[in-house]
Amino acid sequence: TFSATNRDPCESYGMWMMSDGWMVTKIANLTYAAGVGKAERAKQVADDSLLFAQQIERQLLSTDDTTVESLPTVAYKSRGAFSWLQTAAQSTKPVPASYRPAAAAHYSGALSAFLPTNMETMLEESATQKKAPVDLTGYVGIKLKTQMSTWAQRDSTVSATNQNLQSFNINQSEKKLMRIVDFFEFDSGMVRTIPSWFLRCSNSDGSNTDYTPRSGLFVDLSMWEIAFLQSPASYVEPPKSGGPRGYHDAVYILKCLNPLGQNMVESNS
């Protein structure tokens, strides 16, 4: 007899993203400004390019679900990372049930209650799904990053005989107090953390939410790709009376090849 493994499709629609655009009045482009000189147009193009990159990053790290175009109210939208890793079925092009992360790999409680035991539980679920220890990269909000760094500085079990004391590493010669932990290793896997300021922002306007500094994505980077149907490009519009203007745009899909064995924290308090 012969056997073979099967593949299931994970699909998402491509998304056309456009920047807010730049514009420089004719007078501004002829006027000397400190630090800019007469290169106002070049500065505005560069600023719009940076803001556009951050705009894409906010969408990639959002809870956006993929949508199909239904003009004039709905446009094509790529699925955000928090939607890829949700444990329930998505409404459009859902991830097959056998590829979705386990419910215990998702923490949604208060940030102050997120302790090493919670992280260990999440990693155990991920390792059990993959049948091997996991190696994850954690993109975490700054408050979540700080909470995780305190794990090496306190004893969370307090009783009449066991006091909650803090200890710190101090470099005597440099007079430096160090309160940072980037790597966490458990029996079921390891996590390296990187701060992010663009997590779980508002889907409507990209502004920060209560979730932004308190949430995190713990991902296997080998399972993620950004597919550009059109790479980011810069455009200059035809001259108009106000002065030169233009914008940036791109068409892309965030691809998660397999969400299994990955986890996330969603906390807003």
Side-chain angles (χ1 to χ4, degrees), residues 164-211:
N164 190 344
L165 302 178
Q166 291 189 326
S167 61
F168 307 97
N169 294 320
I170 299 178
N171 187 316
Q172 186 70 19
S173 61
E174 296 182 8
K175 300 180 177 62
K176 181 189 297 183
L177 172 66
M178 291 173 285
R179 292 187 50 171
I180 180 171
V181 181
D182 291 328
F183 297 89
F184 303 84
E185 191 164 3
F186 298 83
D187 291 328
S188 49
M190 67 175 295
V191 171
R192 59 183 59 83
T193 55
I194 301 171
S196 172
W197 280 261
F198 302 103
L199 291 160
R200 216 183 180 292
C201 297
S202 169
N203 291 343
S204 59
D205 61 8
S207 61
N208 286 0
T209 66
D210 290 338
Y211 287 96

Side-chain angles (χ1 to χ4, degrees), residues 18 43 57 87 133 170 237 252:
M18 181 184 294
K43 178 184 184 303
E57 187 171 355
T87 59
I170 299 178
E237 295 184 353
Y252 65 89

Side-chain angles (χ1 to χ4, degrees), residues 30-46:
L30 298 173
T31 304
Y32 180 88
V36 179
K38 291 187 178 180
E40 187 65 35
R41 171 172 169 167
K43 178 184 184 303
Q44 294 299 326
V45 173

Side-chain angles (χ1 to χ4, degrees), residues 62-140:
S62 73
T63 62
D64 273 343
D65 197 10
T66 191
T67 56
V68 62
E69 185 180 45
S70 178
L71 293 177
T73 57
V74 179
Y76 284 115
K77 186 177 290 186
S78 178
R79 175 167 288 147
F82 278 96
S83 181
W84 272 115
L85 295 187
Q86 72 179 48
T87 59
Q90 296 85 355
S91 58
T92 304
K93 293 189 177 295
V95 174
S98 57
Y99 294 88
R100 294 199 292 268
H106 179 201
Y107 180 84
S108 58
L111 182 60
S112 59
F114 185 61
L115 301 174
T117 52
N118 301 104
M119 187 80 257
E120 190 167 24
T121 297
M122 294 167 65
L123 291 175
E124 284 177 358
E125 290 294 330
S126 297
T128 299
Q129 285 189 308
K130 295 194 70 173
K131 305 297 187 292
V134 294
D135 185 354
L136 304 179
T137 299
Y139 293 95
V140 295

Side-chain angles (χ1 to χ4, degrees), residues 151-164:
W151 293 350
Q153 299 162 8
R154 71 183 183 187
D155 183 352
S156 60
T157 57
V158 183
S159 66
T161 57
N162 187 15
Q163 299 301 310
N164 190 344

Side-chain angles (χ1 to χ4, degrees), residues 226-248:
I226 301 177
F228 282 102
L229 283 72
Q230 177 214 293
S231 297
S234 179
Y235 299 91
V236 178
E237 295 184 353
K240 297 181 181 180
S241 58
R245 67 197 70 194
Y247 64 93
H248 294 81

